[in-house]
Amino acid sequence: MPPKKGGKKKKEPELQEPEHDASWEKAVQIGLWELPPTFLPDANTWPTWGALRERILTATKQINIIGSAAVRDNFLSELVKLTPPELHTLELRGSVNISKAVISPTTACPKLAHLDLYGCPKLSHVLIQSQSLLTLNLTNCTHITKVIIQCPNLEKFDAKGCAALEVLMLWSDKLTELDLTDSTVMTKRDLYCPALLVHKVATLVPPPRPVKPVHPPIADIIRDQRHDAEEEKGQMEQEFRNSAETKTMIPAMWRPLA
């Protein structure tokens, strides 16, 4: 008989963690990140890389990402959720895929002093609540329509080229200059800025007047409704009588003789 085939089953090679990008450790050491978010470690690539990503972002003191289509709303939301304790500058100039910027509540990013969103063409809504923010740049955000800023220490606010801005609510105890001359379609502007000395603003666009309804006099409407109701009632009574006569009618051939 031929000998039986045997032997141990070959062991499958263990998966090896991909090599780390050199920029990751460098960002942790110097506290600066300048690459698109796609260069950050991704937990979908390796299980432990989610924690590594958090370590990099929470260690940043400055984030400068210029003209990247990879910067989206979820990246800014991720930063707010992680709240890097030492982050003081966030520059996302020319981010073509940001539609909203929300930094709230005031405990988020507690040392953020400078926020630059210059030239973000899809940006439409901004909500910033911060005790630390000193400068905010929204210049040439051409589609922005609503801005709410509650930053008592804000010293500089740029909104030139925001031609679509309709609503602005701004609280600042230290802002001294404000230029809103490009915002010509604004319908609401609430400024709580006691230190404001120079402010250039366009005339507010009055809200559209409500259109008065056009209808005949109430008496005519009531009369027509009453007339329609009486006609409907008469039709129903006639249908009821016809139905009753049909059900009780006895054919002539079966009528008893008198």
Side-chain angles (χ1 to χ4, degrees):
M1 293 179 64
K4 294 182 179 180
K5 294 182 180 180
K8 294 183 180 180
K9 187 177 180 181
K10 291 185 179 180
K11 189 177 180 180
E12 294 183 1
E14 294 183 0
L15 294 177
Q16 297 293 325
E17 180 180 0
E19 186 177 353
H20 289 197
D21 192 295
S23 62
W24 299 349
E25 190 60 34
K26 181 180 178 182
V28 173
Q29 292 175 357
I30 66 176
L32 173 64
W33 183 261
E34 296 180 306
L35 299 174
T38 49
F39 283 80
L40 287 164
D42 189 343
N44 294 322
T45 303
W46 191 257
T48 60
W49 282 12
L52 179 58
R53 181 187 182 99
E54 291 186 10
R55 178 170 171 258
I56 295 171
L57 291 177
T58 53
T60 54
K61 299 178 182 178
Q62 188 171 347
I63 297 178
N64 300 333
I65 305 176
I66 310 300
S68 174
V71 177
R72 299 179 180 272
D73 296 346
N74 57 356
F75 177 68
L76 190 54
S77 299
E78 182 181 13
L79 286 176
V80 172
K81 183 179 179 180
L82 293 175
T83 307
E86 299 298 326
L87 181 65
H88 62 76
T89 299
L90 179 58
E91 185 176 359
L92 302 175
R93 296 166 65 97
S95 298
V96 296
N97 286 317
I98 289 182
S99 63
K100 62 180 179 180
V102 178
I103 299 179
S104 178
T106 54
T107 54
C109 304
K111 291 189 178 181
L112 184 63
H114 308 286
L115 177 59
D116 191 347
L117 298 173
Y118 175 97
C120 296
K122 292 184 180 179
L123 186 63
S124 61
H125 293 77
V126 172
L127 169 61
I128 310 293
Q129 291 180 302
S130 173
Q131 297 288 336
S132 58
L133 195 68
L134 301 178
T135 66
L136 174 61
N137 188 3
L138 299 178
T139 302
N140 288 340
C141 293
T142 54
H143 282 77
I144 198 166
T145 59
K146 187 174 184 179
V147 175
I148 300 176
I149 304 169
Q150 187 177 2
C151 302
N153 294 305
L154 188 69
E155 298 175 351
K156 186 177 181 181
F157 173 51
D158 291 324
K160 294 180 181 178
C162 296
L165 184 59
E166 298 176 358
V167 177
L168 172 65
M169 301 178 70
L170 174 60
W171 288 265
S172 172
D173 295 333
K174 296 186 177 181
L175 189 68
T176 58
E177 296 184 13
L178 182 63
D179 187 352
L180 298 172
T181 52
D182 292 336
S183 304
T184 57
V185 297
M186 189 175 295
T187 59
K188 182 176 181 179
R189 180 176 58 234
D190 293 337
L191 304 177
Y192 305 92
C193 307
L196 196 62
L197 299 175
V198 179
H199 62 284
K200 302 175 183 179
V201 296
T203 304
L204 287 178
V205 177
R209 294 182 178 180
V211 179
K212 293 184 178 180
V214 179
H215 55 71
I218 300 298
D220 293 347
I221 296 176
I222 294 175
R223 184 178 62 251
D224 293 341
Q225 290 179 345
R226 185 179 300 169
H227 179 266
D228 294 341
E230 290 176 353
E231 283 190 350
E232 185 177 356
K233 181 181 178 182
Q235 292 176 359
M236 292 178 64
E237 290 178 349
Q238 184 61 39
E239 291 176 359
F240 178 77
R241 286 194 296 269
N242 294 340
S243 176
E245 291 176 359
T246 302
K247 290 181 180 180
T248 59
M249 183 178 295
I250 302 175
M253 63 182 297
W254 294 107
R255 290 179 183 175
L257 294 175

Coordinates of all heavy atoms in Angstrom, one line a residue, residues 138-173:
L138 N -13.6 85.1 7.8 CA -14.5 84.5 6.9 C -14.5 85.2 5.5 O -15.5 85.1 4.8 CB -15.9 84.6 7.5 CG -16.2 83.9 8.8 CD1 -17.6 84.1 9.3 CD2 -15.9 82.4 8.7
T139 N -13.4 85.9 5.2 CA -13.3 86.6 4.0 C -13.6 85.7 2.8 O -13.0 84.6 2.7 CB -11.9 87.3 3.9 OG1 -11.7 88.2 5.0 CG2 -11.8 88.1 2.6
N140 N -14.4 86.3 1.8 CA -14.6 85.6 0.5 C -15.3 84.2 0.7 O -15.1 83.3 -0.1 CB -13.4 85.4 -0.3 CG -12.9 86.8 -0.8 OD1 -13.7 87.7 -0.9 ND2 -11.6 86.8 -1.2
C141 N -16.1 84.0 1.8 CA -16.9 82.9 1.9 C -18.2 83.3 1.2 O -19.2 83.8 1.8 CB -17.2 82.5 3.3 SG -15.7 81.8 4.1
T142 N -18.3 83.1 -0.1 CA -19.3 83.8 -0.9 C -20.7 83.2 -0.8 O -21.7 83.8 -1.2 CB -18.9 83.7 -2.4 OG1 -18.7 82.3 -2.7 CG2 -17.7 84.5 -2.7
H143 N -20.9 82.0 -0.2 CA -22.2 81.4 0.0 C -22.7 81.4 1.4 O -23.7 80.8 1.7 CB -22.2 80.0 -0.6 CG -22.3 80.0 -2.1 ND1 -21.2 80.2 -2.9 CD2 -23.3 79.7 -2.9 CE1 -21.6 80.1 -4.2 NE2 -22.9 79.8 -4.2
I144 N -22.0 82.0 2.3 CA -22.3 82.0 3.7 C -23.6 82.9 3.9 O -23.7 84.0 3.4 CB -21.2 82.5 4.6 CG1 -21.4 82.1 6.0 CG2 -21.0 84.0 4.5 CD1 -20.1 82.3 6.9
T145 N -24.6 82.3 4.6 CA -25.8 83.1 4.8 C -26.1 83.4 6.3 O -26.8 84.4 6.6 CB -27.0 82.2 4.3 OG1 -27.0 81.0 5.0 CG2 -26.9 82.0 2.8
K146 N -25.6 82.6 7.2 CA -25.9 82.8 8.6 C -24.7 82.7 9.5 O -24.0 81.6 9.4 CB -27.0 81.8 9.1 CG -27.5 82.1 10.5 CD -28.7 81.2 10.8 CE -29.3 81.5 12.2 NZ -30.5 80.6 12.5
V147 N -24.4 83.6 10.3 CA -23.2 83.6 11.2 C -23.7 84.0 12.6 O -24.3 85.1 12.8 CB -22.1 84.6 10.7 CG1 -21.0 84.6 11.7 CG2 -21.6 84.2 9.4
I148 N -23.4 83.2 13.6 CA -23.6 83.4 15.0 C -22.3 83.3 15.8 O -21.7 82.2 15.8 CB -24.7 82.5 15.6 CG1 -26.0 82.6 14.8 CG2 -24.9 82.8 17.1 CD1 -27.1 81.7 15.3
I149 N -21.9 84.4 16.4 CA -20.6 84.4 17.1 C -20.8 84.9 18.5 O -21.3 86.0 18.7 CB -19.6 85.3 16.4 CG1 -19.4 84.9 14.9 CG2 -18.2 85.3 17.1 CD1 -18.7 85.9 14.1
Q150 N -20.4 84.1 19.5 CA -20.5 84.5 20.9 C -19.1 84.3 21.4 O -18.7 83.3 22.0 CB -21.5 83.6 21.6 CG -21.7 84.0 23.1 CD -22.8 83.2 23.8 OE1 -23.3 82.3 23.2 NE2 -23.0 83.5 25.0
C151 N -18.3 85.3 21.3 CA -16.9 85.3 21.6 C -16.5 86.6 22.3 O -16.2 87.6 21.7 CB -16.0 85.1 20.4 SG -16.3 83.6 19.5
P152 N -16.6 86.7 23.6 CA -16.4 87.9 24.4 C -15.0 88.6 24.2 O -14.9 89.8 24.3 CB -16.7 87.6 25.8 CG -16.5 86.1 25.9 CD -16.9 85.6 24.6
N153 N -14.0 87.8 23.8 CA -12.7 88.3 23.7 C -12.2 88.5 22.2 O -11.1 88.8 21.9 CB -11.7 87.4 24.4 CG -11.9 87.4 25.9 OD1 -11.8 88.4 26.5 ND2 -12.1 86.2 26.5
L154 N -13.2 88.4 21.3 CA -12.9 88.5 19.9 C -12.4 90.0 19.6 O -13.1 90.9 19.9 CB -14.1 88.2 19.0 CG -13.9 88.1 17.5 CD1 -13.0 86.9 17.1 CD2 -15.2 88.0 16.8
E155 N -11.3 90.1 18.9 CA -10.7 91.4 18.6 C -10.8 91.8 17.2 O -10.8 92.9 16.8 CB -9.2 91.5 19.1 CG -9.1 91.3 20.6 CD -7.6 91.2 21.0 OE1 -6.8 91.2 20.1 OE2 -7.3 91.2 22.3
K156 N -10.8 90.7 16.3 CA -10.8 91.0 14.9 C -11.7 90.0 14.2 O -11.6 88.8 14.4 CB -9.4 90.9 14.3 CG -9.3 91.3 12.8 CD -7.8 91.2 12.3 CE -7.7 91.6 10.9 NZ -6.3 91.5 10.4
F157 N -12.6 90.6 13.3 CA -13.6 89.7 12.6 C -13.6 90.3 11.1 O -14.0 91.4 10.9 CB -15.0 89.8 13.2 CG -16.0 89.2 12.4 CD1 -15.9 87.9 11.9 CD2 -17.2 89.8 12.1 CE1 -16.9 87.3 11.2 CE2 -18.2 89.2 11.3 CZ -18.0 87.9 10.9
D158 N -13.2 89.4 10.2 CA -13.2 89.8 8.8 C -14.3 89.0 8.0 O -14.4 87.8 8.1 CB -11.8 89.4 8.1 CG -10.7 90.3 8.7 OD1 -11.0 91.5 8.9 OD2 -9.6 89.8 8.8
A159 N -15.2 89.8 7.3 CA -16.2 89.2 6.6 C -16.4 89.9 5.2 O -17.5 89.9 4.7 CB -17.6 89.3 7.4
K160 N -15.3 90.4 4.7 CA -15.3 91.0 3.3 C -15.6 89.9 2.3 O -15.1 88.8 2.3 CB -14.0 91.7 3.1 CG -13.8 92.9 4.0 CD -12.4 93.6 3.6 CE -12.2 94.7 4.6 NZ -10.9 95.4 4.3
G161 N -16.4 90.3 1.3 CA -16.8 89.4 0.2 C -17.9 88.4 0.6 O -18.2 87.5 -0.2
C162 N -18.5 88.5 1.7 CA -19.6 87.7 2.1 C -20.9 88.3 1.6 O -21.7 88.8 2.4 CB -19.6 87.5 3.6 SG -18.2 86.6 4.3
A163 N -21.1 88.2 0.3 CA -22.2 88.9 -0.4 C -23.5 88.2 -0.1 O -24.6 88.9 -0.3 CB -22.0 89.0 -1.9
A164 N -23.6 87.0 0.3 CA -24.8 86.3 0.5 C -25.2 86.3 2.0 O -26.3 85.7 2.3 CB -24.7 84.8 0.0
L165 N -24.5 86.9 2.9 CA -24.8 86.9 4.3 C -26.1 87.6 4.6 O -26.3 88.8 4.2 CB -23.6 87.6 5.1 CG -23.8 87.6 6.6 CD1 -23.8 86.2 7.1 CD2 -22.6 88.4 7.2
E166 N -27.0 86.9 5.2 CA -28.3 87.4 5.5 C -28.5 87.7 7.0 O -29.2 88.6 7.4 CB -29.4 86.4 5.1 CG -29.4 86.2 3.5 CD -30.4 85.1 3.1 OE1 -31.1 84.6 4.0 OE2 -30.6 84.9 1.9
V167 N -28.0 86.8 7.9 CA -28.2 87.0 9.3 C -26.8 87.0 10.0 O -26.0 86.1 9.8 CB -29.0 85.8 9.8 CG1 -29.2 85.9 11.4 CG2 -30.4 85.8 9.2
L168 N -26.6 88.0 10.9 CA -25.4 88.1 11.7 C -25.8 88.4 13.1 O -26.5 89.4 13.4 CB -24.4 89.1 11.1 CG -23.2 89.4 12.0 CD1 -22.3 88.2 12.1 CD2 -22.4 90.6 11.5
M169 N -25.4 87.6 14.0 CA -25.5 87.8 15.5 C -24.1 87.7 16.1 O -23.5 86.7 16.0 CB -26.5 86.8 16.1 CG -27.9 86.8 15.4 SD -29.0 85.6 16.1 CE -29.3 86.3 17.7
L170 N -23.7 88.8 16.7 CA -22.3 88.9 17.1 C -22.2 89.5 18.5 O -22.7 90.6 18.8 CB -21.5 89.8 16.1 CG -20.1 90.2 16.5 CD1 -19.2 88.9 16.6 CD2 -19.5 91.1 15.4
W171 N -21.6 88.7 19.4 CA -21.3 89.2 20.8 C -19.8 89.3 21.0 O -19.1 88.3 20.8 CB -21.9 88.2 21.8 CG -23.4 88.1 21.9 CD1 -24.2 88.8 22.8 CD2 -24.3 87.4 21.1 NE1 -25.5 88.5 22.6 CE2 -25.6 87.6 21.6 CE3 -24.1 86.5 20.1 CZ2 -26.7 87.0 21.0 CZ3 -25.2 85.9 19.5 CH2 -26.5 86.1 20.0
S172 N -19.3 90.5 21.3 CA -17.9 90.6 21.6 C -17.7 91.9 22.5 O -18.2 92.9 22.1 CB -17.1 90.7 20.3 OG -15.7 91.1 20.6
D173 N -16.9 91.8 23.5 CA -16.7 92.9 24.4 C -15.4 93.7 23.9 O -15.2 94.8 24.4 CB -16.4 92.4 25.8 CG -17.7 91.8 26.4 OD1 -18.8 92.2 26.0 OD2 -17.6 91.0 27.3

